[in-house]
Amino acid sequence: EVQLLESGGALVQPGGSLRLSCAASGFTFNNYAMNWVRQAPGKGLEWVSTIRGSGGTTYYADSVKGRFTISRDNSKNTLYLQLNSLRAEDTAIYFCANIDCRGGSCFPLHFDSWGQGTLVTVS
Amino acid sequence: DIQMTQSPSSVTASVGDIVTITCRASQGIGTWLAWYQHKPGEAPKLLISAASSLQSGVPSRFSGSGSGTDFTLRISSLQPGDFATYYCQQTNDFPLTFGGGTKVEI
C-alpha cells in the first residue's frame, strides 16, 4: 500500500524558514516524480513544485520560485521542501503526491497518490 | 500557462441525484485531464485520468468525458460518501494547474 506521510509544518513568522518532509513507502520511490501541492485556507489546490526521480530536474510555480527548494533523498525514500522568505500567503496545508514515471516517461502528469498534508502557518 | 475553469463552484444535491461538473481549459489539452475528489482532513483521491479513464477501485457511477478544451465529470446516483469537493487538473504540461473546485453539498 502506498503511504505518503508529511511532517514539518509549523507556525513561523513572515520572512522565516521551514523544511517539510514527506516519507514514502509502498512503491519504488525513484521510479516516481514527487510533488508538493498546497491548499490555502478556504481555497483550492495549487501545484507548488515537482522533482523527477533522479532529482536532476525540478519545476516550480512562479509564486514560489526563488524562495522554495524541492529535493529528495532516494536512499531514504524521502521528499523535502525547503521554504524560505515565507509570506502570509504561503499559509496552507502542504500535500506531497507522486507521479508514475515507470517506463521512462512521467506523462501524463497526474498525481496518483497523495498524503494527508502538513499545515504551515505564516503569521 | 493553461488556465482551468470549473463550474459550478458549488452544487446542492440529494442522494440518488445525477451531478455534472464541467471544466474548461484555456487552450486545447487533448485528453490530458484528471479529476480528483477531496474531503476535508483527507488526502485527495485520483478518480479519473486521461479525461475518461476510471482509476481502479473507483465506482462506475463516476464517469468523465471530453477533449480539447471542454470536459465533464458525471456522478450518477449520488451516494453519501460522494459529498466532497472535486477538482480538475490539466496533465499536459508545467506549470500544472487545477480548476477552482466544485463543492458537492447535501
Side-chain angles (χ1 to χ4, degrees):
Chain A
E1 179 192 3
V2 172
Q3 289 197 342
L4 297 168
L5 184 60
E6 304 93 337
S7 61
L11 171 63
V12 61
Q13 292 184 340
S17 297
L18 204 59
R19 189 175 86 154
L20 306 182
S21 300
C22 172
S25 61
F27 62 100
T28 304
F29 189 65
N30 60 6
N31 283 346
Y32 286 72
M34 295 301 297
N35 309 266
W36 291 99
V37 177
R38 68 184 180 183
Q39 183 179 35
K43 303 295 185 182
L45 299 173
E46 178 191 18
W47 168 77
V48 173
S49 185
T50 297
I51 185 168
R52 291 195 183 266
S54 64
T57 304
T58 58
Y59 306 85
Y60 296 94
D62 285 346
S63 58
V64 307
K65 200 172 295 182
R67 300 188 300 121
F68 291 9
T69 302
I70 192 171
S71 62
R72 62 192 294 162
D73 185 337
N74 287 347
S75 69
K76 295 182 178 179
N77 286 0
T78 303
L79 171 71
Y80 303 100
L81 186 67
Q82 178 68 39
L83 293 71
N84 296 332
S85 303
L86 281 161
R87 307 167 179 166
E89 55 264 35
D90 296 319
T91 294
I93 298 171
Y94 285 73
F95 300 96
C96 74
N98 63 6
I99 295 175
D100 189 349
C101 301
R102 290 174 293 175
S105 172
C106 299
F107 193 81
L109 301 163
H110 58 253
F111 304 108
D112 290 282
S113 299
W114 300 64
Q116 292 194 311
T118 187
L119 177 62
V120 173
T121 303
V122 184
S123 177
Chain B
D1 298 1
I2 301 172
Q3 307 303 318
M4 307 300 295
T5 304
Q6 263 182 259
S7 62
S9 57
S10 67
V11 58
T12 302
S14 300
V15 172
D17 284 354
I18 297 171
V19 171
T20 301
I21 299 168
T22 64
C23 180
R24 175 164 289 177
S26 61
Q27 64 189 71
I29 56 172
T31 58
W32 303 124
L33 184 102
W35 289 98
Y36 303 89
Q37 177 191 66
H38 189 206
K39 299 177 183 179
E42 297 187 10
K45 177 183 178 181
L46 176 66
L47 298 176
I48 289 170
S49 63
S52 61
S53 179
L54 202 65
Q55 296 302 292
S56 174
V58 176
S60 59
R61 63 180 178 274
F62 291 91
S63 63
S65 63
S67 66
T69 61
D70 294 306
F71 302 87
T72 299
L73 174 69
R74 184 175 184 267
I75 312 171
S76 64
S77 188
L78 201 66
Q79 297 301 300
D82 299 339
F83 292 96
T85 301
Y86 294 85
Y87 295 91
C88 61
Q89 178 227 334
Q90 62 85 10
T91 62
N92 185 61
D93 199 7
F94 291 98
L96 301 174
T97 46
F98 291 89
T102 298
K103 187 173 184 180
V104 178
E105 301 177 286
I106 301 174

CSV table of all heavy atoms in Angstrom, one decimal, chain B residues 42-81:
chain,number,residue,atom,x,y,z
B,42,GLU,N,-8.6,14.8,4.6
B,42,GLU,CA,-8.2,13.6,4.0
B,42,GLU,C,-7.3,13.9,2.8
B,42,GLU,O,-7.2,15.1,2.4
B,42,GLU,CB,-9.4,12.8,3.5
B,42,GLU,CG,-10.3,12.3,4.6
B,42,GLU,CD,-11.4,11.4,4.0
B,42,GLU,OE1,-11.3,10.9,2.9
B,42,GLU,OE2,-12.3,11.1,4.8
B,43,ALA,N,-6.6,12.9,2.3
B,43,ALA,CA,-5.8,13.0,1.1
B,43,ALA,C,-6.7,13.1,-0.1
B,43,ALA,O,-7.7,12.4,-0.2
B,43,ALA,CB,-4.8,11.9,1.0
B,44,PRO,N,-6.4,14.0,-1.0
B,44,PRO,CA,-7.1,14.0,-2.3
B,44,PRO,C,-7.0,12.6,-3.0
B,44,PRO,O,-6.0,11.9,-2.8
B,44,PRO,CB,-6.5,15.1,-3.1
B,44,PRO,CG,-5.9,16.0,-2.1
B,44,PRO,CD,-5.4,15.1,-1.0
B,45,LYS,N,-8.0,12.3,-3.8
B,45,LYS,CA,-8.0,11.0,-4.4
B,45,LYS,C,-8.2,11.1,-5.9
B,45,LYS,O,-9.1,11.8,-6.4
B,45,LYS,CB,-9.2,10.1,-3.8
B,45,LYS,CG,-9.3,8.8,-4.5
B,45,LYS,CD,-10.6,8.1,-3.9
B,45,LYS,CE,-10.8,6.7,-4.5
B,45,LYS,NZ,-12.0,6.1,-3.9
B,46,LEU,N,-7.3,10.5,-6.7
B,46,LEU,CA,-7.4,10.5,-8.1
B,46,LEU,C,-8.6,9.6,-8.5
B,46,LEU,O,-8.7,8.4,-8.2
B,46,LEU,CB,-6.1,10.0,-8.7
B,46,LEU,CG,-6.1,9.8,-10.3
B,46,LEU,CD1,-6.2,11.2,-11.0
B,46,LEU,CD2,-4.9,9.1,-10.7
B,47,LEU,N,-9.5,10.2,-9.3
B,47,LEU,CA,-10.7,9.4,-9.8
B,47,LEU,C,-10.6,9.0,-11.2
B,47,LEU,O,-10.8,7.8,-11.6
B,47,LEU,CB,-12.0,10.3,-9.7
B,47,LEU,CG,-12.4,10.8,-8.3
B,47,LEU,CD1,-13.6,11.7,-8.5
B,47,LEU,CD2,-12.7,9.6,-7.4
B,48,ILE,N,-10.2,9.9,-12.0
B,48,ILE,CA,-10.1,9.7,-13.5
B,48,ILE,C,-8.9,10.4,-14.0
B,48,ILE,O,-8.5,11.5,-13.7
B,48,ILE,CB,-11.4,10.3,-14.1
B,48,ILE,CG1,-12.6,9.5,-13.8
B,48,ILE,CG2,-11.3,10.5,-15.6
B,48,ILE,CD1,-14.0,10.2,-14.1
B,49,SER,N,-8.2,9.7,-15.0
B,49,SER,CA,-7.1,10.2,-15.7
B,49,SER,C,-7.4,10.2,-17.2
B,49,SER,O,-8.4,9.5,-17.6
B,49,SER,CB,-5.8,9.4,-15.4
B,49,SER,OG,-5.9,8.1,-15.8
B,50,ALA,N,-6.6,10.9,-18.0
B,50,ALA,CA,-6.8,10.9,-19.4
B,50,ALA,C,-8.3,11.1,-19.8
B,50,ALA,O,-8.8,10.5,-20.7
B,50,ALA,CB,-6.3,9.6,-20.1
B,51,ALA,N,-8.9,12.0,-19.1
B,51,ALA,CA,-10.3,12.5,-19.3
B,51,ALA,C,-11.4,11.5,-19.0
B,51,ALA,O,-12.5,11.9,-18.5
B,51,ALA,CB,-10.4,13.1,-20.7
B,52,SER,N,-11.1,10.2,-19.3
B,52,SER,CA,-12.2,9.3,-19.1
B,52,SER,C,-11.8,7.9,-18.5
B,52,SER,O,-12.7,7.0,-18.4
B,52,SER,CB,-12.9,9.1,-20.5
B,52,SER,OG,-12.0,8.5,-21.4
B,53,SER,N,-10.6,7.8,-18.2
B,53,SER,CA,-10.1,6.5,-17.7
B,53,SER,C,-10.3,6.4,-16.2
B,53,SER,O,-9.6,7.1,-15.4
B,53,SER,CB,-8.6,6.3,-18.0
B,53,SER,OG,-8.1,5.1,-17.5
B,54,LEU,N,-11.2,5.6,-15.8
B,54,LEU,CA,-11.6,5.4,-14.3
B,54,LEU,C,-10.4,4.7,-13.6
B,54,LEU,O,-10.0,3.6,-14.1
B,54,LEU,CB,-12.9,4.6,-14.2
B,54,LEU,CG,-13.7,4.8,-13.0
B,54,LEU,CD1,-14.2,6.2,-12.8
B,54,LEU,CD2,-14.9,3.8,-13.0
B,55,GLN,N,-10.0,5.2,-12.5
B,55,GLN,CA,-9.0,4.5,-11.7
B,55,GLN,C,-9.5,3.3,-11.1
B,55,GLN,O,-10.7,3.2,-10.7
B,55,GLN,CB,-8.4,5.5,-10.7
B,55,GLN,CG,-7.7,6.7,-11.3
B,55,GLN,CD,-6.6,6.3,-12.2
B,55,GLN,OE1,-5.6,5.8,-11.8
B,55,GLN,NE2,-6.8,6.6,-13.5
B,56,SER,N,-8.6,2.3,-10.8
B,56,SER,CA,-9.0,1.1,-10.1
B,56,SER,C,-9.6,1.4,-8.8
B,56,SER,O,-9.1,2.2,-8.0
B,56,SER,CB,-7.8,0.2,-10.0
B,56,SER,OG,-8.0,-0.9,-9.2
B,57,GLY,N,-10.8,0.7,-8.5
B,57,GLY,CA,-11.4,0.9,-7.3
B,57,GLY,C,-12.4,2.0,-7.2
B,57,GLY,O,-13.2,2.1,-6.2
B,58,VAL,N,-12.5,2.9,-8.2
B,58,VAL,CA,-13.4,4.0,-8.2
B,58,VAL,C,-14.8,3.5,-8.8
B,58,VAL,O,-14.8,2.8,-9.8
B,58,VAL,CB,-12.9,5.1,-9.1
B,58,VAL,CG1,-13.9,6.2,-9.2
B,58,VAL,CG2,-11.6,5.7,-8.5
B,59,PRO,N,-15.8,3.7,-8.1
B,59,PRO,CA,-17.2,3.2,-8.5
B,59,PRO,C,-17.5,3.7,-9.9
B,59,PRO,O,-17.2,4.8,-10.3
B,59,PRO,CB,-18.1,3.8,-7.5
B,59,PRO,CG,-17.3,4.1,-6.3
B,59,PRO,CD,-15.9,4.5,-6.8
B,60,SER,N,-18.2,2.8,-10.6
B,60,SER,CA,-18.6,3.1,-12.0
B,60,SER,C,-19.6,4.2,-12.1
B,60,SER,O,-19.9,4.7,-13.3
B,60,SER,CB,-19.1,1.9,-12.7
B,60,SER,OG,-20.2,1.4,-12.0
B,61,ARG,N,-20.2,4.7,-11.0
B,61,ARG,CA,-21.1,5.8,-11.1
B,61,ARG,C,-20.4,7.1,-11.5
B,61,ARG,O,-21.0,8.1,-11.9
B,61,ARG,CB,-21.9,6.0,-9.8
B,61,ARG,CG,-21.1,6.4,-8.6
B,61,ARG,CD,-22.0,6.5,-7.4
B,61,ARG,NE,-21.2,6.8,-6.2
B,61,ARG,CZ,-20.7,5.8,-5.4
B,61,ARG,NH1,-20.9,4.6,-5.7
B,61,ARG,NH2,-20.0,6.2,-4.3
B,62,PHE,N,-19.1,7.1,-11.4
B,62,PHE,CA,-18.2,8.2,-11.8
B,62,PHE,C,-17.8,8.0,-13.3
B,62,PHE,O,-17.4,6.9,-13.6
B,62,PHE,CB,-17.0,8.4,-10.9
B,62,PHE,CG,-17.2,8.8,-9.5
B,62,PHE,CD1,-17.4,7.9,-8.5
B,62,PHE,CD2,-17.2,10.1,-9.2
B,62,PHE,CE1,-17.6,8.2,-7.2
B,62,PHE,CE2,-17.5,10.5,-7.9
B,62,PHE,CZ,-17.7,9.6,-6.9
B,63,SER,N,-18.0,9.1,-14.1
B,63,SER,CA,-17.5,9.0,-15.4
B,63,SER,C,-17.0,10.3,-15.9
B,63,SER,O,-17.5,11.4,-15.4
B,63,SER,CB,-18.6,8.5,-16.4
B,63,SER,OG,-19.7,9.4,-16.4
B,64,GLY,N,-16.1,10.3,-16.8
B,64,GLY,CA,-15.5,11.5,-17.4
B,64,GLY,C,-15.6,11.5,-18.9
B,64,GLY,O,-15.5,10.4,-19.5
B,65,SER,N,-15.7,12.7,-19.4
B,65,SER,CA,-15.7,12.8,-20.9
B,65,SER,C,-15.1,14.1,-21.3
B,65,SER,O,-14.9,15.0,-20.5
B,65,SER,CB,-17.1,12.6,-21.4
B,65,SER,OG,-18.0,13.7,-20.9
B,66,GLY,N,-14.9,14.2,-22.6
B,66,GLY,CA,-14.4,15.5,-23.2
B,66,GLY,C,-13.0,15.4,-23.8
B,66,GLY,O,-12.3,14.4,-23.6
B,67,SER,N,-12.7,16.4,-24.6
B,67,SER,CA,-11.4,16.5,-25.2
B,67,SER,C,-11.2,17.9,-25.7
B,67,SER,O,-12.2,18.7,-25.8
B,67,SER,CB,-11.2,15.5,-26.3
B,67,SER,OG,-12.1,15.9,-27.4
B,68,GLY,N,-10.0,18.3,-25.9
B,68,GLY,CA,-9.7,19.7,-26.4
B,68,GLY,C,-9.7,20.7,-25.2
B,68,GLY,O,-8.8,20.8,-24.4
B,69,THR,N,-10.8,21.4,-25.1
B,69,THR,CA,-10.9,22.4,-24.0
B,69,THR,C,-12.1,22.2,-23.1
B,69,THR,O,-12.1,22.8,-22.0
B,69,THR,CB,-11.1,23.8,-24.6
B,69,THR,OG1,-12.3,23.8,-25.4
B,69,THR,CG2,-9.9,24.2,-25.5
B,70,ASP,N,-13.0,21.3,-23.4
B,70,ASP,CA,-14.2,21.1,-22.6
B,70,ASP,C,-14.4,19.7,-22.1
B,70,ASP,O,-14.3,18.7,-22.9
B,70,ASP,CB,-15.5,21.5,-23.4
B,70,ASP,CG,-15.5,23.0,-23.7
B,70,ASP,OD1,-15.4,23.8,-22.8
B,70,ASP,OD2,-15.6,23.3,-24.9
B,71,PHE,N,-14.5,19.6,-20.8
B,71,PHE,CA,-14.5,18.3,-20.1
B,71,PHE,C,-15.7,18.2,-19.1
B,71,PHE,O,-16.1,19.3,-18.6
B,71,PHE,CB,-13.2,18.0,-19.4
B,71,PHE,CG,-12.0,18.1,-20.3
B,71,PHE,CD1,-11.4,19.3,-20.6
B,71,PHE,CD2,-11.6,16.9,-20.9
B,71,PHE,CE1,-10.3,19.4,-21.5
B,71,PHE,CE2,-10.5,17.0,-21.8
B,71,PHE,CZ,-9.9,18.2,-22.0
B,72,THR,N,-16.1,17.0,-18.8
B,72,THR,CA,-17.2,16.8,-17.9
B,72,THR,C,-17.0,15.6,-16.9
B,72,THR,O,-16.4,14.6,-17.4
B,72,THR,CB,-18.5,16.5,-18.6
B,72,THR,OG1,-18.8,17.6,-19.5
B,72,THR,CG2,-19.7,16.3,-17.7
B,73,LEU,N,-17.3,15.8,-15.7
B,73,LEU,CA,-17.3,14.8,-14.7
B,73,LEU,C,-18.8,14.5,-14.3
B,73,LEU,O,-19.5,15.5,-14.0
B,73,LEU,CB,-16.5,15.1,-13.4
B,73,LEU,CG,-16.6,14.1,-12.3
B,73,LEU,CD1,-15.9,12.8,-12.6
B,73,LEU,CD2,-16.1,14.7,-11.0
B,74,ARG,N,-19.2,13.3,-14.4
B,74,ARG,CA,-20.6,13.0,-14.1
B,74,ARG,C,-20.7,12.0,-13.0
B,74,ARG,O,-19.9,11.0,-13.0
B,74,ARG,CB,-21.3,12.4,-15.4
B,74,ARG,CG,-22.8,12.1,-15.2
B,74,ARG,CD,-23.4,11.7,-16.5
B,74,ARG,NE,-24.8,11.5,-16.5
B,74,ARG,CZ,-25.4,10.3,-16.3
B,74,ARG,NH1,-24.6,9.2,-16.0
B,74,ARG,NH2,-26.7,10.2,-16.3
B,75,ILE,N,-21.5,12.3,-12.0
B,75,ILE,CA,-21.7,11.3,-10.9
B,75,ILE,C,-23.2,10.9,-11.0
B,75,ILE,O,-24.1,11.8,-10.8
B,75,ILE,CB,-21.4,11.9,-9.5
B,75,ILE,CG1,-20.1,12.6,-9.5
B,75,ILE,CG2,-21.5,10.8,-8.5
B,75,ILE,CD1,-19.9,13.4,-8.2
B,76,SER,N,-23.4,9.7,-11.3
B,76,SER,CA,-24.8,9.2,-11.4
B,76,SER,C,-25.2,8.6,-10.1
B,76,SER,O,-24.4,7.9,-9.4
B,76,SER,CB,-24.9,8.1,-12.6
B,76,SER,OG,-24.2,7.0,-12.2
B,77,SER,N,-26.4,8.8,-9.7
B,77,SER,CA,-26.9,8.3,-8.4
B,77,SER,C,-25.9,8.6,-7.2
B,77,SER,O,-25.3,7.7,-6.7
B,77,SER,CB,-27.1,6.7,-8.5
B,77,SER,OG,-27.7,6.2,-7.4
B,78,LEU,N,-25.9,9.8,-6.9
B,78,LEU,CA,-25.0,10.3,-5.8
B,78,LEU,C,-25.2,9.5,-4.5
B,78,LEU,O,-26.3,9.3,-4.1
B,78,LEU,CB,-25.3,11.8,-5.6
B,78,LEU,CG,-24.3,12.7,-4.9
B,78,LEU,CD1,-23.1,12.8,-5.8
B,78,LEU,CD2,-24.9,14.0,-4.6
B,79,GLN,N,-24.1,9.1,-3.9
B,79,GLN,CA,-24.1,8.4,-2.7
B,79,GLN,C,-23.6,9.3,-1.5
B,79,GLN,O,-22.9,10.3,-1.8
B,79,GLN,CB,-23.2,7.1,-2.8
B,79,GLN,CG,-23.8,6.2,-3.9
B,79,GLN,CD,-25.2,5.7,-3.5
B,79,GLN,OE1,-25.4,5.1,-2.5
B,79,GLN,NE2,-26.1,6.0,-4.4
B,80,PRO,N,-23.9,8.9,-0.3
B,80,PRO,CA,-23.5,9.7,0.9
B,80,PRO,C,-22.0,10.0,0.9
B,80,PRO,O,-21.6,11.1,1.3
B,80,PRO,CB,-23.9,8.9,2.1
B,80,PRO,CG,-25.1,8.1,1.6
B,80,PRO,CD,-24.7,7.8,0.2
B,81,GLY,N,-21.2,9.1,0.5
B,81,GLY,CA,-19.7,9.3,0.5
B,81,GLY,C,-19.2,10.2,-0.6
B,81,GLY,O,-18.0,10.5,-0.7
